[in-house]
Amino acid sequence: MSKKCHKTSIGGQALIEGLMMRGPNDAATAIRLPNGEIEVKHHEEHRLQDKYAVAKWPLIRGMVSFFESLKFGYRYLDYSAEKSMEDDGTVYEEEQSKLDRWMEEHLTEGVINALMIIAVVLGVALALVLFMWLPAFLVDMFDKYVTHDVLEARNLHPLFEGILKIIILVLYMAGVRCMNDIKRVFQYHGAEHKTIACYENGLELTVENVRAQTRFHPRCGTSFMIVMLLISILFSTILVLVFPGIGTIRWLWVLVKILIIPLIMGFGYEFIRYAGRHDNVLSRALSQPGLWMQRITTIEPEDGMIECGIAAFLAVLPEDPETAEIQ
């Protein structure tokens, strides 16, 4: 049975053996427990946009949304990891690794939390090395030994660094996709997109209808990353052309790149909103790089994963669907 089509603002996140959907009022997770049941739980989110009007302003709302997504996203990942290993409060020993059992037996909760914080710090450091230091280092080496520090070549540094960042991102995502656990997360990512697409196409949310939908969606975190990289290339290239030689002062150039990150986030977010609300030649053309990247970060889901997607989506769908439309 078909319904009225709605370009909804509801979005989600793939988790460990489940997913999260965020609606206009709250968020909900649907986790597949070891006993086969789906546990749906509502999560209250205290969002800055609900407290401060300035957090809803264009460009600013992009920065706010990005940091809140990181904050809440980590919380839901941690929650899904716990629930996917539990059944009526009992941890399945055979599903635990030797390292997990050793940590539970020998380490206190405080030590485990400290180790998790260290892991997050190391993850951020790895990201900085891969996506900031390594591209700059490779371009500098190319300049030093090939172009011999010609100013005209240095003015193209942002373009070359941006291209290297995209290549590194694609290779990194393709590499982690080969891991079985990550592959299942990418399948839940596909279930999230298919569920939202089914609803936006005005179809009843059934496994059969959702399965037939595309797993690619323009309003996606993967697309947001690609859009941010492309915008950063554009902004950085313009700055170097307007202010020749700025890229030759390393500390100043690093500072400038850090300062324009919030602006890049803002523009990227506004574009993703535009792409999710419009279907025209411009939006399709600009969304295409992100959709190509989703061929790596989304995988066709199993029917059980689709059931989780439907359960989470229905949990946050308001009685009046128009209140969940993209404004």
Side-chain angles (χ1 to χ4, degrees):
M1 180 178 63
S2 297
K3 302 177 291 185
K4 180 181 177 182
C5 298
H6 292 278
K7 286 292 185 180
T8 181
S9 63
I10 295 175
Q13 175 185 342
L15 304 174
I16 299 173
E17 293 305 326
L19 47 77
M20 176 275 295
M21 290 286 185
R22 179 179 288 112
N25 302 315
D26 62 356
T29 52
I31 308 299
R32 179 74 67 178
L33 301 178
N35 64 6
E37 296 180 0
I38 298 176
E39 180 181 275
V40 179
K41 180 180 179 181
H42 287 266
H43 301 266
E44 185 178 358
E45 295 183 344
H46 300 286
R47 308 173 193 171
L48 292 177
Q49 291 186 351
D50 297 331
K51 296 181 179 180
Y52 307 103
V54 67
K56 298 181 180 179
W57 292 1
L59 297 184
I60 293 179
R61 62 189 174 190
M63 294 178 279
V64 172
S65 178
F66 178 80
F67 287 112
E68 287 191 333
S69 294
L70 291 179
K71 171 187 172 183
F72 294 126
Y74 177 79
R75 179 194 303 173
Y76 297 135
L77 274 173
D78 185 55
Y79 172 78
S80 68
E82 293 181 2
K83 300 305 295 185
S84 64
M85 291 291 292
E86 292 180 0
D87 184 18
D88 297 328
T90 301
V91 177
Y92 282 70
E93 292 293 333
E94 65 271 15
E95 295 186 6
Q96 287 184 291
S97 67
K98 292 182 180 180
L99 176 61
D100 291 332
R101 289 197 294 270
W102 185 90
M103 290 178 64
E104 287 187 0
E105 293 172 0
H106 296 85
L107 301 181
T108 65
E109 183 178 351
V111 174
I112 293 176
N113 290 335
L115 289 175
M116 292 180 65
I117 293 174
I118 293 173
V120 171
V121 172
L122 291 176
V124 172
L126 177 61
L128 291 175
V129 169
L130 286 178
F131 298 106
M132 290 195 70
W133 178 82
L134 182 58
F137 173 77
L138 292 176
V139 172
D140 283 345
M141 290 300 98
F142 184 82
D143 251 1
K144 182 177 181 180
Y145 295 108
V146 179
T147 62
H148 305 293
D149 292 320
V150 176
L151 181 59
E152 288 73 12
R154 281 191 167 274
N155 287 340
L156 295 176
H157 269 203
L159 176 61
F160 295 147
E161 286 185 23
I163 293 174
L164 285 173
K165 288 177 184 178
I166 294 176
I167 294 173
I168 292 171
L169 177 63
V170 171
L171 293 176
Y172 176 81
M173 299 306 295
V176 299
R177 176 190 166 109
C178 298
M179 302 169 61
N180 289 333
D181 290 342
I182 300 299
K183 182 178 179 180
R184 289 190 64 80
V185 172
F186 285 176
Q187 285 182 283
Y188 276 105
H189 192 191
E192 172 215 330
H193 284 189
K194 282 174 169 281
T195 302
I196 295 173
C198 183
Y199 174 79
E200 291 186 331
N201 288 331
L203 299 174
E204 184 180 1
L205 289 175
T206 65
V207 172
E208 291 74 17
N209 287 341
V210 171
R211 191 193 305 125
Q213 306 304 310
T214 177
R215 72 179 197 268
F216 310 121
H217 199 285
R219 192 168 45 81
C220 169
T222 302
S223 294
F224 180 67
M225 288 191 297
I226 295 296
V227 168
M228 280 185 57
L229 284 174
L230 294 176
I231 292 177
S232 69
I233 293 173
L234 177 63
F235 280 20
S236 299
T237 302
I238 291 175
L239 282 173
V240 170
L241 292 177
V242 173
F243 303 101
I246 189 175
T248 62
I249 308 174
R250 178 57 62 185
W251 68 268
L252 179 60
W253 182 234
V254 171
L255 178 62
V256 169
K257 288 195 291 186
I258 293 174
L259 291 177
I260 65 175
I261 286 177
L263 188 62
I264 292 171
M265 288 180 183
F267 274 96
Y269 180 81
E270 296 305 323
F271 169 75
I272 293 297
R273 284 175 59 91
Y274 174 84
R277 190 170 61 246
H278 299 89
D279 183 16
N280 51 46
V281 175
L282 177 61
S283 65
R284 287 195 297 269
L286 296 179
S287 298
Q288 198 57 51
L291 296 177
W292 287 334
M293 187 65 179
Q294 288 178 42
R295 294 185 178 278
I296 298 176
T297 62
T298 63
I299 300 176
E300 289 295 334
E302 301 170 0
D303 287 354
M305 298 173 176
I306 292 176
E307 291 173 352
C308 286
I310 294 174
F313 188 92
L314 291 177
V316 299
L317 182 65
E319 293 184 6
D320 182 6
E322 292 189 3
T323 61
E325 288 200 42
I326 301 177
Q327 303 298 319

PDB file of all heavy atoms in Angstrom, residues 131-159:
ATOM      1  N   PHE A 131      45.324  11.804   7.525  1.00  0.00           N
ATOM      2  CA  PHE A 131      44.598  12.757   6.696  1.00  0.00           C
ATOM      3  C   PHE A 131      45.125  14.192   6.769  1.00  0.00           C
ATOM      4  O   PHE A 131      44.634  15.061   6.046  1.00  0.00           O
ATOM      5  CB  PHE A 131      43.110  12.735   7.059  1.00  0.00           C
ATOM      6  CG  PHE A 131      42.478  11.396   6.819  1.00  0.00           C
ATOM      7  CD1 PHE A 131      42.156  10.567   7.865  1.00  0.00           C
ATOM      8  CD2 PHE A 131      42.223  10.958   5.527  1.00  0.00           C
ATOM      9  CE1 PHE A 131      41.584   9.324   7.642  1.00  0.00           C
ATOM     10  CE2 PHE A 131      41.657   9.720   5.285  1.00  0.00           C
ATOM     11  CZ  PHE A 131      41.331   8.897   6.349  1.00  0.00           C
ATOM     12  N   MET A 132      46.108  14.457   7.625  1.00  0.00           N
ATOM     13  CA  MET A 132      46.698  15.794   7.646  1.00  0.00           C
ATOM     14  C   MET A 132      48.205  15.735   7.403  1.00  0.00           C
ATOM     15  O   MET A 132      48.719  16.369   6.494  1.00  0.00           O
ATOM     16  CB  MET A 132      46.386  16.492   8.986  1.00  0.00           C
ATOM     17  CG  MET A 132      44.925  16.868   9.146  1.00  0.00           C
ATOM     18  SD  MET A 132      44.615  18.055  10.480  1.00  0.00           S
ATOM     19  CE  MET A 132      45.336  19.539   9.803  1.00  0.00           C
ATOM     20  N   TRP A 133      48.915  14.957   8.237  1.00  0.00           N
ATOM     21  CA  TRP A 133      50.371  14.944   8.114  1.00  0.00           C
ATOM     22  C   TRP A 133      50.829  14.221   6.859  1.00  0.00           C
ATOM     23  O   TRP A 133      51.671  14.744   6.116  1.00  0.00           O
ATOM     24  CB  TRP A 133      50.990  14.284   9.337  1.00  0.00           C
ATOM     25  CG  TRP A 133      52.493  14.192   9.232  1.00  0.00           C
ATOM     26  CD1 TRP A 133      53.404  15.172   9.519  1.00  0.00           C
ATOM     27  CD2 TRP A 133      53.244  13.059   8.753  1.00  0.00           C
ATOM     28  NE1 TRP A 133      54.684  14.731   9.270  1.00  0.00           N
ATOM     29  CE2 TRP A 133      54.620  13.437   8.800  1.00  0.00           C
ATOM     30  CE3 TRP A 133      52.910  11.793   8.313  1.00  0.00           C
ATOM     31  CZ2 TRP A 133      55.633  12.573   8.407  1.00  0.00           C
ATOM     32  CZ3 TRP A 133      53.929  10.925   7.918  1.00  0.00           C
ATOM     33  CH2 TRP A 133      55.267  11.317   7.974  1.00  0.00           C
ATOM     34  N   LEU A 134      50.325  13.032   6.594  1.00  0.00           N
ATOM     35  CA  LEU A 134      50.811  12.230   5.468  1.00  0.00           C
ATOM     36  C   LEU A 134      50.615  12.922   4.118  1.00  0.00           C
ATOM     37  O   LEU A 134      51.572  12.989   3.319  1.00  0.00           O
ATOM     38  CB  LEU A 134      50.144  10.853   5.473  1.00  0.00           C
ATOM     39  CG  LEU A 134      50.592   9.878   4.370  1.00  0.00           C
ATOM     40  CD1 LEU A 134      52.101   9.646   4.457  1.00  0.00           C
ATOM     41  CD2 LEU A 134      49.833   8.563   4.475  1.00  0.00           C
ATOM     42  N   PRO A 135      49.420  13.458   3.800  1.00  0.00           N
ATOM     43  CA  PRO A 135      49.283  14.156   2.507  1.00  0.00           C
ATOM     44  C   PRO A 135      50.239  15.339   2.381  1.00  0.00           C
ATOM     45  O   PRO A 135      50.832  15.542   1.312  1.00  0.00           O
ATOM     46  CB  PRO A 135      47.813  14.614   2.507  1.00  0.00           C
ATOM     47  CG  PRO A 135      47.123  13.681   3.434  1.00  0.00           C
ATOM     48  CD  PRO A 135      48.125  13.380   4.502  1.00  0.00           C
ATOM     49  N   ALA A 136      50.364  16.130   3.459  1.00  0.00           N
ATOM     50  CA  ALA A 136      51.269  17.282   3.411  1.00  0.00           C
ATOM     51  C   ALA A 136      52.718  16.832   3.224  1.00  0.00           C
ATOM     52  O   ALA A 136      53.476  17.445   2.457  1.00  0.00           O
ATOM     53  CB  ALA A 136      51.123  18.106   4.685  1.00  0.00           C
ATOM     54  N   PHE A 137      53.106  15.760   3.914  1.00  0.00           N
ATOM     55  CA  PHE A 137      54.466  15.239   3.804  1.00  0.00           C
ATOM     56  C   PHE A 137      54.751  14.757   2.375  1.00  0.00           C
ATOM     57  O   PHE A 137      55.810  15.069   1.802  1.00  0.00           O
ATOM     58  CB  PHE A 137      54.665  14.085   4.786  1.00  0.00           C
ATOM     59  CG  PHE A 137      55.980  13.377   4.638  1.00  0.00           C
ATOM     60  CD1 PHE A 137      57.148  13.937   5.125  1.00  0.00           C
ATOM     61  CD2 PHE A 137      56.050  12.145   3.991  1.00  0.00           C
ATOM     62  CE1 PHE A 137      58.370  13.283   4.983  1.00  0.00           C
ATOM     63  CE2 PHE A 137      57.257  11.486   3.841  1.00  0.00           C
ATOM     64  CZ  PHE A 137      58.423  12.058   4.341  1.00  0.00           C
ATOM     65  N   LEU A 138      53.831  14.029   1.777  1.00  0.00           N
ATOM     66  CA  LEU A 138      54.033  13.510   0.421  1.00  0.00           C
ATOM     67  C   LEU A 138      54.137  14.643  -0.601  1.00  0.00           C
ATOM     68  O   LEU A 138      54.989  14.606  -1.501  1.00  0.00           O
ATOM     69  CB  LEU A 138      52.893  12.566   0.046  1.00  0.00           C
ATOM     70  CG  LEU A 138      52.835  11.247   0.829  1.00  0.00           C
ATOM     71  CD1 LEU A 138      51.602  10.445   0.425  1.00  0.00           C
ATOM     72  CD2 LEU A 138      54.102  10.425   0.611  1.00  0.00           C
ATOM     73  N   VAL A 139      53.299  15.658  -0.439  1.00  0.00           N
ATOM     74  CA  VAL A 139      53.349  16.793  -1.360  1.00  0.00           C
ATOM     75  C   VAL A 139      54.647  17.573  -1.172  1.00  0.00           C
ATOM     76  O   VAL A 139      55.261  18.028  -2.152  1.00  0.00           O
ATOM     77  CB  VAL A 139      52.124  17.711  -1.158  1.00  0.00           C
ATOM     78  CG1 VAL A 139      52.278  18.992  -1.977  1.00  0.00           C
ATOM     79  CG2 VAL A 139      50.850  16.987  -1.574  1.00  0.00           C
ATOM     80  N   ASP A 140      55.086  17.733   0.066  1.00  0.00           N
ATOM     81  CA  ASP A 140      56.363  18.424   0.320  1.00  0.00           C
ATOM     82  C   ASP A 140      57.529  17.674  -0.321  1.00  0.00           C
ATOM     83  O   ASP A 140      58.445  18.293  -0.897  1.00  0.00           O
ATOM     84  CB  ASP A 140      56.592  18.548   1.829  1.00  0.00           C
ATOM     85  CG  ASP A 140      55.761  19.653   2.452  1.00  0.00           C
ATOM     86  OD1 ASP A 140      55.238  20.498   1.689  1.00  0.00           O
ATOM     87  OD2 ASP A 140      55.625  19.674   3.693  1.00  0.00           O
ATOM     88  N   MET A 141      57.520  16.356  -0.196  1.00  0.00           N
ATOM     89  CA  MET A 141      58.591  15.558  -0.804  1.00  0.00           C
ATOM     90  C   MET A 141      58.569  15.688  -2.332  1.00  0.00           C
ATOM     91  O   MET A 141      59.614  15.758  -2.977  1.00  0.00           O
ATOM     92  CB  MET A 141      58.436  14.092  -0.401  1.00  0.00           C
ATOM     93  CG  MET A 141      58.723  13.796   1.059  1.00  0.00           C
ATOM     94  SD  MET A 141      60.427  14.224   1.562  1.00  0.00           S
ATOM     95  CE  MET A 141      60.170  15.850   2.334  1.00  0.00           C
ATOM     96  N   PHE A 142      57.352  15.730  -2.899  1.00  0.00           N
ATOM     97  CA  PHE A 142      57.231  15.895  -4.348  1.00  0.00           C
ATOM     98  C   PHE A 142      57.796  17.254  -4.769  1.00  0.00           C
ATOM     99  O   PHE A 142      58.498  17.367  -5.786  1.00  0.00           O
ATOM    100  CB  PHE A 142      55.765  15.781  -4.762  1.00  0.00           C
ATOM    101  CG  PHE A 142      55.548  15.849  -6.253  1.00  0.00           C
ATOM    102  CD1 PHE A 142      55.716  14.726  -7.046  1.00  0.00           C
ATOM    103  CD2 PHE A 142      55.169  17.048  -6.853  1.00  0.00           C
ATOM    104  CE1 PHE A 142      55.520  14.789  -8.419  1.00  0.00           C
ATOM    105  CE2 PHE A 142      54.973  17.121  -8.220  1.00  0.00           C
ATOM    106  CZ  PHE A 142      55.144  15.990  -9.004  1.00  0.00           C
ATOM    107  N   ASP A 143      57.478  18.273  -3.951  1.00  0.00           N
ATOM    108  CA  ASP A 143      57.987  19.616  -4.237  1.00  0.00           C
ATOM    109  C   ASP A 143      59.515  19.656  -4.157  1.00  0.00           C
ATOM    110  O   ASP A 143      60.194  20.245  -5.000  1.00  0.00           O
ATOM    111  CB  ASP A 143      57.406  20.606  -3.229  1.00  0.00           C
ATOM    112  CG  ASP A 143      56.392  21.525  -3.878  1.00  0.00           C
ATOM    113  OD1 ASP A 143      56.147  21.371  -5.086  1.00  0.00           O
ATOM    114  OD2 ASP A 143      55.837  22.383  -3.178  1.00  0.00           O
ATOM    115  N   LYS A 144      60.042  19.035  -3.123  1.00  0.00           N
ATOM    116  CA  LYS A 144      61.471  19.113  -2.874  1.00  0.00           C
ATOM    117  C   LYS A 144      62.296  18.417  -3.944  1.00  0.00           C
ATOM    118  O   LYS A 144      63.320  18.941  -4.399  1.00  0.00           O
ATOM    119  CB  LYS A 144      61.778  18.507  -1.502  1.00  0.00           C
ATOM    120  CG  LYS A 144      63.243  18.586  -1.100  1.00  0.00           C
ATOM    121  CD  LYS A 144      63.436  18.039   0.301  1.00  0.00           C
ATOM    122  CE  LYS A 144      64.905  18.127   0.719  1.00  0.00           C
ATOM    123  NZ  LYS A 144      65.106  17.599   2.103  1.00  0.00           N
ATOM    124  N   TYR A 145      61.838  17.249  -4.380  1.00  0.00           N
ATOM    125  CA  TYR A 145      62.663  16.441  -5.282  1.00  0.00           C
ATOM    126  C   TYR A 145      62.219  16.484  -6.744  1.00  0.00           C
ATOM    127  O   TYR A 145      62.960  16.052  -7.616  1.00  0.00           O
ATOM    128  CB  TYR A 145      62.664  14.985  -4.809  1.00  0.00           C
ATOM    129  CG  TYR A 145      63.320  14.811  -3.461  1.00  0.00           C
ATOM    130  CD1 TYR A 145      62.553  14.530  -2.333  1.00  0.00           C
ATOM    131  CD2 TYR A 145      64.690  14.926  -3.311  1.00  0.00           C
ATOM    132  CE1 TYR A 145      63.152  14.372  -1.089  1.00  0.00           C
ATOM    133  CE2 TYR A 145      65.297  14.769  -2.073  1.00  0.00           C
ATOM    134  CZ  TYR A 145      64.523  14.495  -0.955  1.00  0.00           C
ATOM    135  OH  TYR A 145      65.115  14.345   0.263  1.00  0.00           O
ATOM    136  N   VAL A 146      61.027  17.008  -7.016  1.00  0.00           N
ATOM    137  CA  VAL A 146      60.536  17.031  -8.406  1.00  0.00           C
ATOM    138  C   VAL A 146      60.396  18.450  -8.929  1.00  0.00           C
ATOM    139  O   VAL A 146      60.987  18.814  -9.948  1.00  0.00           O
ATOM    140  CB  VAL A 146      59.202  16.277  -8.538  1.00  0.00           C
ATOM    141  CG1 VAL A 146      58.701  16.332  -9.987  1.00  0.00           C
ATOM    142  CG2 VAL A 146      59.355  14.835  -8.076  1.00  0.00           C
ATOM    143  N   THR A 147      59.608  19.279  -8.229  1.00  0.00           N
ATOM    144  CA  THR A 147      59.379  20.643  -8.722  1.00  0.00           C
ATOM    145  C   THR A 147      60.367  21.644  -8.147  1.00  0.00           C
ATOM    146  O   THR A 147      60.383  22.804  -8.553  1.00  0.00           O
ATOM    147  CB  THR A 147      57.946  21.103  -8.390  1.00  0.00           C
ATOM    148  OG1 THR A 147      57.773  21.126  -6.965  1.00  0.00           O
ATOM    149  CG2 THR A 147      56.923  20.165  -9.011  1.00  0.00           C
ATOM    150  N   HIS A 148      61.152  21.218  -7.123  1.00  0.00           N
ATOM    151  CA  HIS A 148      62.201  22.062  -6.523  1.00  0.00           C
ATOM    152  C   HIS A 148      61.651  23.367  -5.963  1.00  0.00           C
ATOM    153  O   HIS A 148      62.195  24.446  -6.169  1.00  0.00           O
ATOM    154  CB  HIS A 148      63.304  22.345  -7.550  1.00  0.00           C
ATOM    155  CG  HIS A 148      63.887  21.094  -8.141  1.00  0.00           C
ATOM    156  ND1 HIS A 148      64.626  20.191  -7.408  1.00  0.00           N
ATOM    157  CD2 HIS A 148      63.793  20.590  -9.415  1.00  0.00           C
ATOM    158  CE1 HIS A 148      64.995  19.187  -8.188  1.00  0.00           C
ATOM    159  NE2 HIS A 148      64.506  19.395  -9.404  1.00  0.00           N
ATOM    160  N   ASP A 149      60.530  23.247  -5.241  1.00  0.00           N
ATOM    161  CA  ASP A 149      59.944  24.361  -4.482  1.00  0.00           C
ATOM    162  C   ASP A 149      59.598  25.573  -5.342  1.00  0.00           C
ATOM    163  O   ASP A 149      59.717  26.726  -4.907  1.00  0.00           O
ATOM    164  CB  ASP A 149      60.884  24.804  -3.354  1.00  0.00           C
ATOM    165  CG  ASP A 149      61.016  23.743  -2.280  1.00  0.00           C
ATOM    166  OD1 ASP A 149      59.982  23.128  -1.950  1.00  0.00           O
ATOM    167  OD2 ASP A 149      62.138  23.512  -1.801  1.00  0.00           O
ATOM    168  N   VAL A 150      59.139  25.347  -6.535  1.00  0.00           N
ATOM    169  CA  VAL A 150      58.647  26.444  -7.373  1.00  0.00           C
ATOM    170  C   VAL A 150      57.344  26.959  -6.777  1.00  0.00           C
ATOM    171  O   VAL A 150      56.465  26.179  -6.404  1.00  0.00           O
ATOM    172  CB  VAL A 150      58.431  25.967  -8.819  1.00  0.00           C
ATOM    173  CG1 VAL A 150      57.829  27.083  -9.662  1.00  0.00           C
ATOM    174  CG2 VAL A 150      59.751  25.501  -9.406  1.00  0.00           C
ATOM    175  N   LEU A 151      57.203  28.298  -6.671  1.00  0.00           N
ATOM    176  CA  LEU A 151      56.035  28.893  -6.023  1.00  0.00           C
ATOM    177  C   LEU A 151      54.741  28.478  -6.702  1.00  0.00           C
ATOM    178  O   LEU A 151      53.738  28.204  -6.043  1.00  0.00           O
ATOM    179  CB  LEU A 151      56.153  30.425  -6.031  1.00  0.00           C
ATOM    180  CG  LEU A 151      54.988  31.187  -5.356  1.00  0.00           C
ATOM    181  CD1 LEU A 151      54.842  30.761  -3.892  1.00  0.00           C
ATOM    182  CD2 LEU A 151      55.185  32.694  -5.463  1.00  0.00           C
ATOM    183  N   GLU A 152      54.740  28.422  -8.049  1.00  0.00           N
ATOM    184  CA  GLU A 152      53.523  28.048  -8.764  1.00  0.00           C
ATOM    185  C   GLU A 152      53.062  26.649  -8.374  1.00  0.00           C
ATOM    186  O   GLU A 152      51.863  26.367  -8.271  1.00  0.00           O
ATOM    187  CB  GLU A 152      53.745  28.120 -10.281  1.00  0.00           C
ATOM    188  CG  GLU A 152      53.854  29.528 -10.844  1.00  0.00           C
ATOM    189  CD  GLU A 152      55.177  30.211 -10.492  1.00  0.00           C
ATOM    190  OE1 GLU A 152      56.087  29.509 -10.003  1.00  0.00           O
ATOM    191  OE2 GLU A 152      55.267  31.445 -10.695  1.00  0.00           O
ATOM    192  N   ALA A 153      54.022  25.754  -8.148  1.00  0.00           N
ATOM    193  CA  ALA A 153      53.669  24.394  -7.734  1.00  0.00           C
ATOM    194  C   ALA A 153      53.128  24.388  -6.308  1.00  0.00           C
ATOM    195  O   ALA A 153      52.190  23.651  -5.986  1.00  0.00           O
ATOM    196  CB  ALA A 153      54.891  23.483  -7.842  1.00  0.00           C
ATOM    197  N   ARG A 154      53.722  25.239  -5.445  1.00  0.00           N
ATOM    198  CA  ARG A 154      53.249  25.310  -4.065  1.00  0.00           C
ATOM    199  C   ARG A 154      51.821  25.829  -3.987  1.00  0.00           C
ATOM    200  O   ARG A 154      51.067  25.471  -3.079  1.00  0.00           O
ATOM    201  CB  ARG A 154      54.174  26.199  -3.224  1.00  0.00           C
ATOM    202  CG  ARG A 154      55.445  25.487  -2.788  1.00  0.00           C
ATOM    203  CD  ARG A 154      56.191  26.295  -1.745  1.00  0.00           C
ATOM    204  NE  ARG A 154      57.234  25.492  -1.107  1.00  0.00           N
ATOM    205  CZ  ARG A 154      57.032  24.706  -0.064  1.00  0.00           C
ATOM    206  NH1 ARG A 154      55.824  24.626   0.458  1.00  0.00           N
ATOM    207  NH2 ARG A 154      58.013  24.006   0.462  1.00  0.00           N
ATOM    208  N   ASN A 155      51.424  26.670  -4.934  1.00  0.00           N
ATOM    209  CA  ASN A 155      50.060  27.189  -4.947  1.00  0.00           C
ATOM    210  C   ASN A 155      49.038  26.099  -5.242  1.00  0.00           C
ATOM    211  O   ASN A 155      47.839  26.277  -5.002  1.00  0.00           O
ATOM    212  CB  ASN A 155      49.921  28.307  -5.980  1.00  0.00           C
ATOM    213  CG  ASN A 155      50.609  29.590  -5.533  1.00  0.00           C
ATOM    214  OD1 ASN A 155      50.872  29.784  -4.341  1.00  0.00           O
ATOM    215  ND2 ASN A 155      50.905  30.465  -6.485  1.00  0.00           N
ATOM    216  N   LEU A 156      49.512  24.972  -5.754  1.00  0.00           N
ATOM    217  CA  LEU A 156      48.619  23.847  -6.031  1.00  0.00           C
ATOM    218  C   LEU A 156      48.635  22.807  -4.909  1.00  0.00           C
ATOM    219  O   LEU A 156      48.018  21.747  -5.039  1.00  0.00           O
ATOM    220  CB  LEU A 156      49.009  23.181  -7.353  1.00  0.00           C
ATOM    221  CG  LEU A 156      48.833  24.042  -8.612  1.00  0.00           C
ATOM    222  CD1 LEU A 156      49.336  23.293  -9.836  1.00  0.00           C
ATOM    223  CD2 LEU A 156      47.367  24.421  -8.797  1.00  0.00           C
ATOM    224  N   HIS A 157      49.322  23.119  -3.812  1.00  0.00           N
ATOM    225  CA  HIS A 157      49.383  22.187  -2.679  1.00  0.00           C
ATOM    226  C   HIS A 157      48.006  21.766  -2.179  1.00  0.00           C
ATOM    227  O   HIS A 157      47.774  20.568  -1.954  1.00  0.00           O
ATOM    228  CB  HIS A 157      50.183  22.805  -1.528  1.00  0.00           C
ATOM    229  CG  HIS A 157      51.641  22.482  -1.595  1.00  0.00           C
ATOM    230  ND1 HIS A 157      52.468  22.514  -0.485  1.00  0.00           N
ATOM    231  CD2 HIS A 157      52.421  22.103  -2.624  1.00  0.00           C
ATOM    232  CE1 HIS A 157      53.700  22.175  -0.843  1.00  0.00           C
ATOM    233  NE2 HIS A 157      53.693  21.935  -2.132  1.00  0.00           N
ATOM    234  N   PRO A 158      47.073  22.701  -1.956  1.00  0.00           N
ATOM    235  CA  PRO A 158      45.755  22.284  -1.453  1.00  0.00           C
ATOM    236  C   PRO A 158      45.063  21.278  -2.364  1.00  0.00           C
ATOM    237  O   PRO A 158      44.424  20.337  -1.883  1.00  0.00           O
ATOM    238  CB  PRO A 158      44.975  23.604  -1.388  1.00  0.00           C
ATOM    239  CG  PRO A 158      46.019  24.654  -1.258  1.00  0.00           C
ATOM    240  CD  PRO A 158      47.167  24.169  -2.076  1.00  0.00           C
ATOM    241  N   LEU A 159      45.181  21.483  -3.667  1.00  0.00           N
ATOM    242  CA  LEU A 159      44.556  20.563  -4.612  1.00  0.00           C
ATOM    243  C   LEU A 159      45.179  19.172  -4.510  1.00  0.00           C
ATOM    244  O   LEU A 159      44.462  18.161  -4.404  1.00  0.00           O
ATOM    245  CB  LEU A 159      44.704  21.103  -6.035  1.00  0.00           C
ATOM    246  CG  LEU A 159      44.174  20.201  -7.155  1.00  0.00           C
ATOM    247  CD1 LEU A 159      42.682  19.954  -6.975  1.00  0.00           C
ATOM    248  CD2 LEU A 159      44.471  20.817  -8.519  1.00  0.00           C
TER     249      LEU A 159
END
